[in-house]
Amino acid sequence: MTMRDIRIIGDPVLRTPSEPVTSFDAELRALVTDLMDTLLGAPGRAGVAAPQIGVNAQVFVYNADGHRGHMVNPTVELSTEMQDDDEGCLSIPGLYFPTPRALHATAHGFDQHGEPLTIAGSGFLARALQHEADHLAGRLYVDTLRGETRRRALREIRAGRFDSSRRG
């Protein structure tokens, strides 16, 4: 089992759009394994994206609402119906804020062998798919916040009120 350290806000890799995967090879399969080991290696994790372990590749893993898997080079379709529940991030540990997300999401991409893959979900699974896809675009969940919630989140981050000692 290879649990990798999670990159924390301030690391430039988290703000860099990820590169599409072009080789579905042993290196990609090893990355998926490391991501899954990192996801399952600690309780309460719903997803890990490659940038969170310092890899600039469009790959994420998820474990939400009884669904577990991975996706390579995803595109995500969103419903217009919204949900607004608390959301957190391993890269900003210990902070949670009500975050608007689409209630339903469908992700299209590929598995680690290059086979087409689709996962559709509502509620928490939809939130996890959107959150991880955002990581691949160089966005963090706090970027979606608005108004006073956003101001409070940014104040807490600037003040270092998240647990930066939780790295993995």
Side-chain angles (χ1 to χ4, degrees):
M1 174 183 257
T2 304
M3 244 185 93
R4 306 266 294 268
D5 284 343
I6 298 293
R7 301 294 179 97
I8 301 299
I9 190 169
D11 189 316
V13 73
L14 295 172
R15 295 303 196 167
T16 304
S18 298
E19 294 294 324
V21 171
T22 57
S23 296
F24 292 82
D25 55 11
E27 186 177 334
L28 174 62
R29 288 187 290 284
L31 173 60
V32 170
T33 298
D34 284 358
L35 284 165
M36 193 59 76
D37 287 350
T38 302
L39 173 66
L40 300 177
R45 293 182 170 180
V48 177
Q52 291 183 280
I53 63 169
V55 178
N56 185 345
Q58 290 186 10
V59 183
F60 68 74
V61 296
Y62 59 90
N63 184 24
D65 282 349
H67 298 273
R68 180 186 300 168
H70 68 277
M71 181 140 314
V72 179
N73 297 339
T75 59
V76 181
E77 297 172 9
L78 304 175
S79 71
T80 56
E81 268 183 287
M82 299 298 288
Q83 59 176 314
D84 194 25
D85 292 318
D86 278 354
E87 191 166 322
C89 181
L90 298 173
S91 294
I92 314 172
L95 292 185
Y96 301 87
F97 296 97
T99 305
R101 295 283 188 182
L103 182 59
H104 309 284
T106 302
H108 303 279
F110 301 91
D111 70 10
Q112 62 189 332
H113 304 287
E115 296 298 319
L117 185 62
T118 298
I119 178 84
S122 298
F124 187 60
L125 178 56
R127 178 174 294 280
L129 294 172
Q130 292 167 77
H131 182 107
E132 299 312 322
D134 276 354
H135 274 299
L136 303 183
R139 291 187 304 263
L140 298 172
Y141 84 99
V142 293
D143 299 333
T144 69
L145 303 178
R146 298 289 176 252
E148 181 53 34
T149 303
R150 180 174 173 78
R151 287 188 289 279
R152 187 166 42 98
L154 295 177
R155 276 193 306 272
E156 299 226 3
I157 290 167
R158 278 193 299 274
R161 292 197 183 113
F162 58 94
D163 185 359
S164 61
S165 66
R166 288 182 44 194
R167 303 218 26 108

